[in-house]
Amino acid sequence: MMSKLPRPFLKWAGGKSRILPQYVPYFPKSFKAYYEPFLGGGSVFFHLQPQRAVLRDINAELINAYCCVQKNVSKLIELLQQHAVNHNQEYYYEIRSRQFSSNLERAARFIYLNKTCYNGLYRENSRGQFNVPIGRYKNPTICPEQLLIAAAEHLQNAQIEVGNFDLVLTEAAADDLVYFDPPYHPISATSNFTAYSRSAFGEAEQIKLRDTFSKLAYQGVKVMLSNSDCDFIRELYKDFAIVPIAANRAINSQANKRGKISELLIVSY
């Protein structure tokens, strides 16, 4: 059944597609509006197919890509097909170094780099420049036409915008569903990757997110959150239901260190 549902059109580090079956028992039976303030690949949104959704992220290039899929997917597909025809290592670094002025060209660049960079990782340097090296793919799917068309259909009723996660405090009401998938708290020095953009997401941000979670829950909002399984996160959310989830560690340069790792799913209801 799940394979027939709309799926993410982006590769996304920490994406939830593979572990969604473990989430399904914990989705609420019903809810009104849906909010996802850390959008990323959007796996949960595409699975739930809510009638009304507010999708946000602080990554302006990511949000621009979603908006272009929503509003002009046919032209976006044309631009991606051009990238696919020209793709090689030299072309990758040429496109990575270029800045485009139109929203559609920016979106096509974003998706092209996402499909061809290392592990679908998104990383910016201090100047806000994407700096992930090319991935080792023999034949990457640069233009997933059917995925894009299906995504466009299911994004039509969504409000998509750049914004911080705490904006949801003034919008979500009782019986709405909010799903938080923030940058994970590092469980070791080598896993300390929180620089999803120029803005780091450290302990202070994790505490602010917990406070936001708690306020929403107090207001009767149904809240779900994913994060790493560590003492810090368990202590932050000790007043809520905590469910261990078995996930694959995808980002590691050494293949023998990729494997099952415990993550946490936290729910307020």
Side-chain angles (χ1 to χ4, degrees):
M1 179 184 70
M2 293 183 66
S3 64
K4 297 180 181 179
L5 295 173
R7 294 180 289 123
F9 58 89
L10 295 170
K11 297 179 61 170
W12 206 253
K16 300 299 180 286
S17 295
R18 292 184 179 180
I19 58 176
L20 265 178
Q22 297 179 71
Y23 278 40
V24 170
Y26 303 99
F27 290 134
K29 300 299 181 184
S30 63
F31 57 90
K32 294 179 181 177
Y34 175 76
Y35 294 83
E36 189 166 347
F38 297 92
L39 181 53
S43 298
V44 172
F45 164 76
F46 286 118
H47 173 78
L48 292 175
Q49 301 182 62
Q51 293 298 309
R52 177 173 171 247
V54 179
L55 309 176
R56 287 201 182 95
D57 204 283
I58 61 169
N59 186 329
E61 293 303 312
L62 173 72
I63 292 300
N64 176 65
Y66 272 93
C67 288
C68 289
V69 170
Q70 180 191 51
K71 297 173 182 176
N72 199 345
V73 70
S74 58
K75 181 60 177 177
L76 180 60
I77 286 171
E78 290 179 14
L79 293 174
L80 281 171
Q81 288 171 338
Q82 294 176 22
H83 284 312
V85 169
N86 292 305
H87 173 64
N88 57 41
Q89 181 168 313
E90 181 180 357
Y91 184 79
Y92 173 88
Y93 287 106
E94 176 190 343
I95 296 301
R96 194 185 76 166
S97 67
R98 288 181 60 185
Q99 299 299 319
F100 294 89
S101 56
S102 79
N103 288 341
L104 275 167
E105 287 176 322
R106 285 170 51 210
R109 172 186 181 270
F110 180 90
I111 296 172
Y112 165 67
L113 294 176
N114 172 264
K115 296 295 184 180
T116 53
C117 75
Y118 175 74
N119 267 356
L121 182 64
Y122 190 89
R123 184 183 64 205
E124 293 179 351
N125 61 22
S126 60
R127 292 175 291 178
Q129 298 169 328
F130 182 78
N131 64 356
V132 181
I134 192 170
R136 297 177 180 178
Y137 307 114
K138 291 183 178 180
N139 188 27
T141 303
I142 293 168
C143 183
E145 186 171 343
Q146 295 307 312
L147 283 183
L148 289 165
I149 292 171
E153 177 183 349
H154 290 279
L155 287 168
Q156 290 309 302
N157 295 325
Q159 176 182 332
I160 310 171
E161 59 189 35
V162 177
N164 291 323
F165 66 84
D166 56 350
L167 291 175
V168 72
L169 276 171
T170 62
E171 301 169 322
D175 291 326
D176 288 345
L177 173 61
V178 177
Y179 172 57
F180 292 115
D181 185 22
Y184 279 19
H185 186 70
I187 56 176
S188 68
T190 56
S191 68
N192 190 10
F193 174 74
T194 58
Y196 166 72
S197 70
R198 281 169 287 178
S199 303
F201 204 89
E203 287 192 3
E205 288 74 24
Q206 295 285 1
I207 293 170
K208 182 179 179 180
L209 177 57
R210 187 277 314 276
D211 293 343
T212 301
F213 185 108
S214 298
K215 290 174 184 177
L216 290 169
Y218 180 77
Q219 295 167 7
V221 179
K222 299 172 181 178
V223 197
M224 299 181 69
L225 178 142
S226 304
N227 216 313
S228 55
D229 188 352
C230 61
D231 291 343
F232 176 71
I233 297 300
R234 284 182 175 270
E235 178 64 22
L236 282 184
Y237 293 94
K238 63 183 179 181
D239 295 330
F240 300 97
I242 298 176
V243 182
I245 300 291
N248 285 317
R249 185 196 300 272
I251 300 180
N252 198 302
S253 59
Q254 300 178 47
N256 64 352
K257 292 187 178 181
R258 300 176 188 173
K260 293 291 183 181
I261 186 171
S262 178
E263 298 182 356
L264 299 179
L265 179 65
I266 299 156
V267 295
S268 68
Y269 46 89

